[in-house]
Amino acid sequence: MKLAKLPLAAVAAFALALLLCPRLPSSDQADPARLLENALTNAASSHPASRIWDCVVNGQRVVSSPALERDRFASPDARMARLLKRNYAPLVEGEDTIADRPTWVLRLKPHLKHRPWRQLWIDRESGTILAMRDWDSRNRLKRTMRTSSVAPHGVERAADARARPHASPDYQTDGAIPSPRYVPRGYELVESRGLPSGGVRMVFSDGLFPITILIRFPHGRDREHTQGMRLHDWGQGLVLSMRRGDKEVTLVGDLPREELERMARSLL
Amino acid sequence: MTADLRRSRRRLAVRILAVCVVWLAFAGYVLVSGRHEPRISQASPSTVVLALELTRDAPADAFGFRPAQGLETHSPARPGRGQPEGADR
């Protein structure tokens, strides 16, 4: 009887030892926080690379042909980086090879449930992002980017070297621009501007994914449209339109409908 | 000997039944919980145009990627403009 219990005791002791023993730092182990920091820093540098984008729109996949992109066309913003670090936890998922280059696979896991999230493939040598996958709030793949080839450093064909339109962060706020009474946790206003048509456009972001709001004051034929709420899934998130009186609010964002609805109601 | 065999068979049958019951309970839970999620209809082409326009000008994320990057090739009026599904696989 005692002999029969021996293997069981050995397994239990082994499991306990595994749980209790301190994890030894491995030289191959990547620090997720440092990887993320490197990726954010290297996002500003430009490495000519051929990338393929694959997006889901209304249930259909839209695949771009491989195109040489010098960089990501916009310089990263420190405020966005701060929001990202506040709302997402980096986790190293493993290793992979993209465009014949060894990469770390990093998952940016949101602190809150039912939020979109991202996977990044980061070049082990340079720290640049070679591939990414965006997952929506219902864990469906909505956008991917994959580098098919990386040009050698310093090589840049004049024809491909497009001027980078510097996207200066636009935080202008006008007294006339309404602010929502409810903003989903983790999101901050990053842009707001009045439109020539008399409407207002606002963008909230959590560092990775935006919520864009359009407030219009329709008149004439548009005004005769029915009141109430319309909600659609366009593959990259939800589009919610709500109308009360002369005011129409449209929200585009990847969040549960309850959150978008609450935000829209707080603007009416 | 025969009694032992019978007993072990009975135990195996009970175990298999228990596993089946657990799996059925799990499948039932998944089915029932999924039923509460309301279906959201797909957007019309005009709604996709509006969403694209609103997303196109949105500021880039922390890595400098624009929210509409990769969507530039999409035109709701001409859905076949991008490569067909599975072309890259």
Side-chain angles (χ1 to χ4, degrees):
Chain A
M1 192 69 184
K2 275 180 184 176
L3 274 175
K5 282 184 179 175
L6 205 64
L8 195 71
V11 168
F14 182 68
L16 200 69
L18 268 181
L19 276 172
L20 295 178
C21 79
R23 283 193 173 182
L24 295 172
S26 154
S27 58
D28 258 7
Q29 194 92 27
D31 175 20
R34 211 176 59 195
L35 267 180
L36 177 63
E37 201 59 56
N38 272 352
L40 286 167
T41 313
N42 288 308
S45 59
S46 60
H47 298 297
S50 185
R51 300 192 179 100
I52 305 166
W53 290 83
D54 183 337
C55 306
V56 176
V57 178
N58 260 4
Q60 285 187 319
R61 276 179 54 211
V62 182
V63 185
S64 71
S65 25
L68 198 81
E69 290 179 7
R70 187 174 177 270
D71 56 19
R72 285 173 283 288
F73 306 127
S75 54
D77 181 356
R79 188 183 182 185
M80 289 292 202
R82 180 180 58 77
L83 279 170
L84 168 75
K85 286 179 202 164
R86 199 178 71 187
N87 292 313
Y88 294 86
L91 301 168
V92 176
E93 287 190 326
E95 297 167 57
D96 201 354
T97 305
I98 301 285
D100 296 327
R101 296 173 76 92
T103 57
W104 290 113
V105 186
L106 191 75
R107 177 194 287 225
L108 296 174
K109 189 185 172 198
H111 292 311
L112 297 171
K113 276 184 180 177
H114 310 301
R115 291 287 170 99
W117 53 283
R118 180 174 285 179
Q119 280 176 305
L120 296 169
W121 278 255
I122 299 167
D123 189 11
R124 284 182 76 154
E125 193 187 317
S126 66
T128 52
I129 298 165
L130 294 181
M132 70 172 200
R133 273 184 190 164
D134 282 351
W135 299 82
D136 76 2
S137 51
R138 283 182 277 179
N139 283 329
R140 297 173 305 183
L141 193 62
K142 63 174 183 174
R143 184 169 72 148
T144 70
M145 182 277 284
R146 192 183 174 93
T147 301
S148 50
S149 64
V150 182
H153 292 284
V155 175
E156 183 184 304
R157 285 184 286 170
D160 301 317
R162 280 185 272 174
R164 296 172 64 190
H166 183 72
S168 57
D170 189 359
Y171 301 141
Q172 58 182 8
T173 42
D174 194 321
I177 291 176
S179 59
R181 290 185 302 279
Y182 172 75
V183 177
R185 216 173 120 197
Y187 280 83
E188 270 185 23
L189 181 72
V190 291
E191 187 184 283
S192 66
R193 61 172 63 164
L195 301 173
S197 58
V200 173
R201 203 196 72 164
M202 288 183 275
V203 182
F204 289 79
S205 179
D206 66 348
L208 281 188
F209 301 101
I211 302 173
T212 315
I213 301 174
L214 176 70
I215 301 175
R216 289 190 293 189
F217 304 94
H219 50 273
R221 271 182 62 194
D222 286 348
R223 204 172 168 170
E224 291 160 17
H225 282 186
T226 49
Q227 306 247 333
M229 189 187 85
R230 281 171 293 163
L231 181 75
H232 299 287
D233 184 350
W234 71 297
Q236 296 292 308
L238 300 179
V239 184
L240 185 143
S241 288
M242 209 178 258
R243 190 160 175 181
R244 190 177 292 165
D246 288 347
K247 203 176 185 183
E248 187 185 50
V249 177
T250 305
L251 273 83
V252 180
D254 190 0
L255 279 177
R257 64 175 288 176
E258 296 79 21
E259 294 231 53
L260 287 182
E261 205 179 319
R262 196 172 163 196
M263 196 176 187
R265 282 191 199 285
S266 76
L267 276 159
L268 287 170
Chain B
M1 187 70 184
T2 321
D4 277 353
L5 195 67
R6 267 189 208 151
R7 208 174 299 144
S8 68
R9 275 183 184 169
R10 205 178 300 147
R11 270 186 205 151
L12 187 69
V14 166
R15 275 180 196 172
I16 289 169
L17 257 174
V19 168
C20 286
V21 165
V22 168
W23 269 108
L24 276 173
F26 177 70
Y29 166 75
V30 168
L31 276 174
V32 168
S33 63
R35 204 184 290 163
H36 293 301
E37 197 174 299
R39 280 179 75 96
I40 298 169
S41 62
Q42 282 194 348
S44 64
S46 61
T47 310
V48 173
V49 168
L50 176 68
L52 274 172
E53 274 176 13
L54 283 174
T55 312
R56 194 165 284 144
D57 295 334
D61 65 23
F63 299 103
F65 291 112
R66 294 204 168 279
Q69 223 160 330
L71 289 164
E72 287 99 348
T73 51
H74 178 70
S75 160
R78 286 187 291 161
R81 198 171 161 192
Q83 284 179 31
E85 193 171 328
D88 63 330
R89 302 283 148 115

